[in-house]
Amino acid sequence: MPFIQSILSHDKETENDTSSTHQAQNNELTQTPLKEQEPLQSSAASNVLLKTANELLGATEEGLSAIEELKSTMESIAAAAEESAGAAEESLGAVTQIKQNSTNILKKSNASALSIKSLEDSIQQASSKITESSENMLRIAASAENVAEVGTRLSSAGEEISQTVNLITKLAKRTSLLALNAAIEATRAEEKGKSFSVMAKEIRALSLKSNEYAQEIKNVVTEIQSNVGNVQTTIVQTKELVFSASKNASDNAASMKELIAQLIAIVEEVKQSLEEFQELDNEIVKMQLSSETIASAAEESAGAVSEVTQTISMQATAFDESNAAAKMLENLAKKFELDNHDVSVINDLASAAEELSSAVEEIENSMQQSMIALSQIQEAADISKDDAQKNSDIAQKAVAITKKVSKTIDEVNAQIAAIKEAFTKSVASVAQAGHDSKENLSNASAILQEAKSIKKSIKYLKKTLRKIELTIVQTAALSINGSVEAIRVGELGEGFSVVSNDIRNLAENSEQSLDKINDIVDNLEDETENIIEAIDKMELLGVKEAEALITLAAEMQSSEKEIDVNIATFAEIDTQLQEIENALSQAQIGAEQTLTAAEISLNNAKESREAAQHITNTAQKMAENVTELIEVAAAIKDS
């Protein structure tokens, strides 16, 4: 800059000097134009020639100095353009990477949002199935409780049967005693009591059978009560297990509802992140367009620099030629002063004037091209500066958005990891519920076997009761026959008649007791059938629930894998967000480098335009000198 200022200062001084000189010359020429001077005085022509030669020498030296300055600024602009191009290329590379990662993140985020929604639906279905299983388990538990209540009634019925059988046993013993009395009465009746003796013996045998049957019934009842006790113990255990499993299932369903609420919140967070990231994506598109504009401007600037550099080379050659011509002019002026009739000097003057005219014209034409190219350089630098500032602002904004989205994604991933942990526990709990249901099935099978044993015992009991009933009927029939025989015998049969009546009464009492037992046994049989039916239903429902829970656990494991996929996806998104943040930092650095390079280019372009303008002004002055030289040369030649 100092050099250019000095040149401009000198240029102004030269302009003032030239103006004064030209004014004097113009006055002189106005008074006596060169073409009208006949003949031209050699001393005046020589002075004009020397003065013009000196001015041209000064102008060419200034021009060459300005060209050197222009070369220097062009080199700075070229370096800045190269740096700007490199920074733009890096920025474009970073933006391309950001765009790729951004596209991937948007795809993955959308896919994850859909996956989480699908996961939400799966967990909702699992929760509904678990709730249904819980309700079915409660039904199984209610059935188990009913079976336990029936078992209590069976146990009570067994006690009642035992008490009634004890009564029958007592009646049988009394019948046996009465049969003994009847035998005694038969002995007293001697020959007429023989039939009494036979009947007494048969009655006694029947009472012994009744006694035996009653004992069998007691044993059967004891066995039934034992089986009922086993049923009650097992059914109570089953009920407790089922209640526990139902509670666990209900707790699982509640936990899953909480998970569903969390997943819904996560979907909303992901949706919000997508909206924010869409904003980032839009900003990245702007950055990409700006980077492309910067690259294009850098390319245009480089082309303009190349063009200026080429014209500078041409201008330097033209100034060198002008300088050589000016020096030759100076020598010719001195020769002319010594000999104003030397034809060769006069011809050389004309040639030097033509060469200078051609060189100046070339300088003026090339400077017009240079000024256009410098305007392009300045315009490209302005564009680069504006777009670099935009990119810097966009990168800063994008980094803030990226950090915000990254924070949200980290929170989402932490929430999903927590959900995964809770869900894993639920899967294990559901699987355990399936195993518990299988265990309940084994208990149900044991209860069923016990119930079938009770049913079998009841059948045997009913068979034994029929045997007792037969002995009672036979005893009653014998007592009736005894009464009839006693009447036939007359007075000797009175005692046997009394005994027969007592035996008949005992038989009737036994029959009443037996009827009561039969009613109890019939009810017992019905209750046992109810137990078997209830246990069958429990077993069927238990099988269904066990299979449903095992299948559900397997399905939930699939959902668990889906959660793992989402965790991995969000981890990848987080990594890509970090890559985007790093790339944005690179893009911001590139934008700042471009901004610096653009400012350098702008400053150098301004200096270059000033240097170019100075060269243009110098060329214009040289053109004036050349015009004057041509006129002087023509005048000398004409004279």
Side-chain angles (χ1 to χ4, degrees):
M1 187 69 183
F3 173 78
I4 291 178
Q5 288 176 346
S6 66
I7 293 297
L8 290 175
S9 176
H10 180 73
D11 183 52
K12 288 178 182 176
E13 291 174 1
T14 305
E15 284 178 9
N16 291 334
D17 292 343
T18 305
S19 256
S20 300
T21 305
H22 279 195
Q23 184 65 37
Q25 289 175 351
N26 286 337
N27 290 336
E28 184 180 351
L29 291 172
T30 302
Q31 293 171 2
T32 15
L34 290 174
K35 291 183 180 180
E36 295 176 5
Q37 295 176 14
E38 296 291 347
L40 182 66
Q41 295 180 0
S42 62
S43 59
S46 177
N47 288 335
V48 172
L49 290 173
L50 283 171
K51 178 179 173 294
T52 303
N54 288 332
E55 287 179 358
L56 285 170
L57 282 171
T60 55
E61 287 173 0
E62 287 179 10
L64 287 169
S65 296
I67 283 174
E68 288 301 318
E69 178 66 17
L70 191 55
K71 279 183 181 178
S72 177
T73 56
M74 283 298 102
E75 287 173 359
S76 296
I77 291 172
E82 186 176 353
E83 184 175 354
S84 181
E89 187 176 351
E90 287 181 8
S91 293
L92 272 174
V95 170
T96 301
Q97 182 185 355
I98 292 167
K99 186 63 180 173
Q100 288 174 348
N101 284 339
S102 172
T103 303
N104 289 335
I105 287 172
L106 285 171
K107 286 181 180 178
K108 288 177 181 177
S109 296
N110 278 313
S112 290
L114 292 174
S115 175
I116 292 171
K117 189 67 179 71
S118 174
L119 186 62
E120 176 194 329
D121 294 339
S122 298
I123 293 178
Q124 179 66 57
Q125 292 174 6
S127 177
S128 299
K129 289 178 181 178
I130 291 172
T131 300
E132 184 180 352
S133 291
S134 176
E135 292 171 355
N136 288 336
M137 287 176 190
L138 286 176
R139 283 196 283 273
I140 292 173
S143 296
E145 194 168 2
N146 291 335
V147 170
E149 290 174 2
V150 171
T152 301
R153 292 200 296 271
L154 289 179
S155 183
S156 298
E159 289 292 334
E160 195 173 352
I161 290 170
S162 294
Q163 291 173 5
T164 306
V165 167
N166 286 336
L167 179 60
I168 291 173
T169 301
K170 289 177 181 179
L171 292 173
K173 286 181 179 180
R174 289 180 62 187
T175 300
S176 181
L177 289 173
L178 287 173
L180 182 59
N181 290 336
I184 293 171
E185 289 297 325
T187 303
R188 284 174 54 193
E190 294 179 352
E191 187 66 27
K192 290 184 178 180
K194 285 183 180 179
S195 58
F196 293 149
S197 179
V198 173
M199 282 188 288
K201 186 177 180 180
E202 288 180 359
I203 289 171
R204 191 174 181 185
L206 289 172
S207 66
L208 289 173
K209 283 184 179 181
S210 293
N211 233 1
E212 290 174 3
Y213 294 150
Q215 189 59 48
E216 285 184 21
I217 289 171
K218 282 184 179 182
N219 293 337
V220 172
V221 168
T222 300
E223 184 179 351
I224 289 172
Q225 286 181 316
S226 175
N227 289 336
V228 168
N230 292 337
V231 167
Q232 283 185 301
T233 301
T234 307
I235 204 69
V236 168
Q237 291 175 350
T238 300
K239 182 185 75 173
E240 290 174 353
L241 285 171
V242 172
F243 266 127
S244 177
S246 176
K247 185 178 182 305
N248 288 338
S250 181
D251 291 344
N252 265 330
S255 297
M256 287 189 179
K257 286 179 181 177
E258 291 179 4
L259 295 183
I260 291 167
Q262 292 175 20
L263 286 171
I264 291 172
I266 286 173
V267 169
E268 286 301 315
E269 288 182 12
V270 172
K271 183 180 177 182
Q272 181 183 354
S273 292
L274 285 173
E275 290 173 357
E276 291 171 348
F277 204 83
Q278 190 64 55
E279 182 183 355
L280 173 64
D281 197 51
N282 294 336
E283 294 299 322
I284 290 166
V285 170
K286 294 177 185 177
M287 185 180 286
Q288 187 174 23
L289 292 174
S290 294
S291 296
E292 288 172 354
T293 302
I294 290 169
S296 178
E299 186 177 351
E300 184 177 349
S301 181
V305 167
S306 177
E307 185 176 344
V308 171
T309 303
Q310 288 176 3
T311 57
I312 286 172
S313 179
M314 292 167 59
Q315 290 162 9
T317 301
F319 272 113
D320 284 336
E321 290 174 354
S322 297
N323 186 264
K327 287 179 181 179
M328 183 177 72
L329 179 63
E330 186 180 26
N331 292 329
L332 289 172
K334 291 176 181 179
K335 287 180 181 181
F336 181 76
E337 189 176 8
L338 294 174
D339 184 3
N340 59 0
H341 295 291
D342 189 341
V343 177
S344 62
V345 171
I346 295 171
N347 290 333
D348 288 341
L349 279 173
S351 297
E354 289 298 328
E355 286 180 12
L356 283 167
S357 178
S358 175
V360 168
E361 185 179 0
E362 186 175 346
I363 290 170
E364 286 181 329
N365 291 335
S366 63
M367 283 312 304
Q368 288 178 359
Q369 295 175 6
S370 293
M371 290 297 285
I372 293 169
L374 287 170
S375 296
Q376 291 174 345
I377 290 170
Q378 188 170 359
E379 184 181 355
D382 280 328
I383 292 170
S384 294
K385 183 178 177 181
D386 290 342
D387 283 291
Q389 187 61 58
K390 286 179 186 176
N391 271 4
S392 182
D393 295 340
I394 290 170
Q396 190 173 359
K397 181 181 178 181
V399 166
I401 294 172
T402 302
K403 286 182 177 179
K404 186 178 179 182
V405 174
S406 183
K407 184 181 177 183
T408 303
I409 292 300
D410 286 341
E411 290 172 356
V412 166
N413 221 6
Q415 289 173 355
I416 292 180
I419 286 173
K420 198 249 176 161
E421 184 178 354
F423 194 73
T424 300
K425 289 180 181 178
S426 293
V427 172
S429 182
V430 170
Q432 186 61 47
H435 294 310
D436 289 344
S437 293
K438 282 189 174 182
E439 185 177 343
N440 292 339
L441 288 178
S442 63
N443 290 341
S445 298
I447 297 168
L448 189 60
Q449 291 304 316
E450 294 285 355
K452 288 180 178 179
S453 295
I454 293 171
K455 183 177 180 180
K456 185 177 179 182
S457 297
I458 290 171
K459 286 184 178 180
Y460 183 76
L461 181 61
K462 292 182 78 172
K463 184 177 179 181
T464 305
L465 286 172
R466 284 195 290 273
K467 289 180 180 179
I468 291 178
E469 185 179 10
L470 182 59
T471 60
I472 290 171
V473 170
Q474 289 175 346
T475 301
L478 286 172
S479 67
I480 292 170
N481 290 336
S483 296
V484 172
E485 189 65 22
I487 293 171
R488 186 180 64 77
V489 172
E491 188 176 350
L492 292 174
E494 287 180 357
F496 195 80
S497 177
V498 172
V499 171
S500 293
N501 288 333
D502 288 342
I503 289 170
R504 187 167 61 255
N505 289 334
L506 288 173
E508 288 175 357
N509 290 336
S510 295
E511 190 171 3
Q512 290 174 0
S513 297
L514 188 63
D515 288 341
K516 184 178 179 181
I517 291 173
N518 278 325
D519 289 340
I520 293 170
V521 170
D522 286 341
N523 187 53
L524 189 64
E525 188 174 30
D526 291 340
E527 295 283 19
T528 304
E529 286 293 340
N530 290 337
I531 288 176
I532 290 171
E533 185 178 352
I535 294 171
D536 273 337
K537 288 181 179 178
M538 283 172 58
E539 192 170 16
L540 287 172
L541 191 55
V543 168
K544 178 184 174 184
E545 289 313 309
E547 290 176 351
L549 288 171
I550 291 169
T551 302
L552 180 59
E555 291 173 355
M556 289 173 71
Q557 283 178 342
S558 177
S559 295
E560 191 176 3
K561 291 177 182 177
E562 192 172 350
I563 294 175
D564 287 334
V565 169
N566 277 287
I567 290 174
T569 298
F570 281 116
E572 289 174 4
I573 289 173
D574 194 43
T575 300
Q576 290 182 331
L577 282 170
Q578 189 58 53
E579 290 176 358
I580 285 176
E581 191 173 342
N582 294 337
L584 283 170
S585 298
Q586 292 177 1
Q588 191 166 14
I589 292 170
E592 290 170 357
Q593 290 174 344
T594 302
L595 189 60
T596 302
E599 288 174 348
I600 291 171
S601 291
L602 280 172
N603 291 333
N604 282 290
K606 183 179 179 183
E607 292 180 8
S608 297
R609 283 177 66 85
E610 290 173 352
Q613 186 61 50
H614 180 71
I615 293 170
T616 300
N617 294 338
T618 301
Q620 288 174 352
K621 285 184 284 183
M622 288 174 67
E624 291 173 2
N625 289 331
V626 168
T627 301
E628 188 175 0
L629 177 62
I630 290 171
E631 289 177 356
V632 171
I636 291 171
K637 190 174 182 181
D638 291 341
S639 65

